Amino acid sequence: MQLKLGTHTVDGIQVLDCNGRIVFGEETALLRDTVKEMMAAHKSLVLNLGGVTYIDSGGLGMLVSIYVSARNAGASIKLARVTQRVGDVLQVTKLLTVFDTYETEEQAVKSFKTAA
């Protein structure tokens, strides 16, 4: 399934819902462009990965790139609802130690409030 993105706001925090596959090509370009656009207006962003069925090395690279870009811009990105498959890949690549991950979208949003 191709990557489908949707956005909504929870308690003033932008949430990007990702559904489908995050793979090198159109999907990673769409994700990059969407996050870049959102970060221009908001410094706090939650990526809801609950609907992600697969991620490849290009998708992982894009997540890292997004994370670094956010940090350099003074923004923050947190991951929510990481699926078992994506979580396993993040664990094997040791990227779980880089990203702030939360079981629920609500926990991720709340973490921005407690960090402030």
Side-chain angles (χ1 to χ4, degrees):
M1 172 174 33
Q2 220 177 4
L3 183 64
K4 291 181 176 39
L5 301 176
T7 62
H8 64 278
T9 305
V10 178
D11 292 337
I13 305 296
Q14 281 291 113
V15 178
L16 178 62
D17 296 312
C18 303
N19 294 289
R21 298 161 41 103
I22 301 177
V23 295
F24 182 76
E26 291 179 25
E27 288 80 6
T28 53
L30 174 65
L31 181 60
R32 178 194 64 230
D33 294 345
T34 303
V35 169
K36 186 177 178 181
E37 189 176 297
M38 293 174 76
M39 281 194 317
H42 306 280
K43 295 296 182 193
S44 301
L45 178 63
V46 173
L47 293 183
N48 179 348
L49 302 180
V52 174
T53 57
Y54 180 78
I55 189 166
D56 71 358
S57 60
L60 282 176
M62 184 52 59
L63 286 181
V64 171
S65 175
I66 289 168
Y67 176 83
V68 171
S69 294
R71 298 265 318 224
N72 289 341
S76 181
I77 293 181
K78 301 186 182 198
L79 307 181
R81 297 187 58 223
V82 176
T83 60
Q84 181 71 42
R85 177 170 279 180
V86 174
D88 289 347
V89 172
L90 290 174
Q91 185 171 3
V92 166
T93 58
K94 305 284 190 238
L95 289 174
L96 268 181
T97 61
V98 174
F99 292 103
D100 291 332
T101 60
Y102 298 88
E103 286 186 32
T104 68
E105 184 179 297
E106 293 78 20
Q107 290 172 337
V109 168
K110 188 177 180 182
S111 73
F112 284 111
K113 303 293 184 189
T114 56

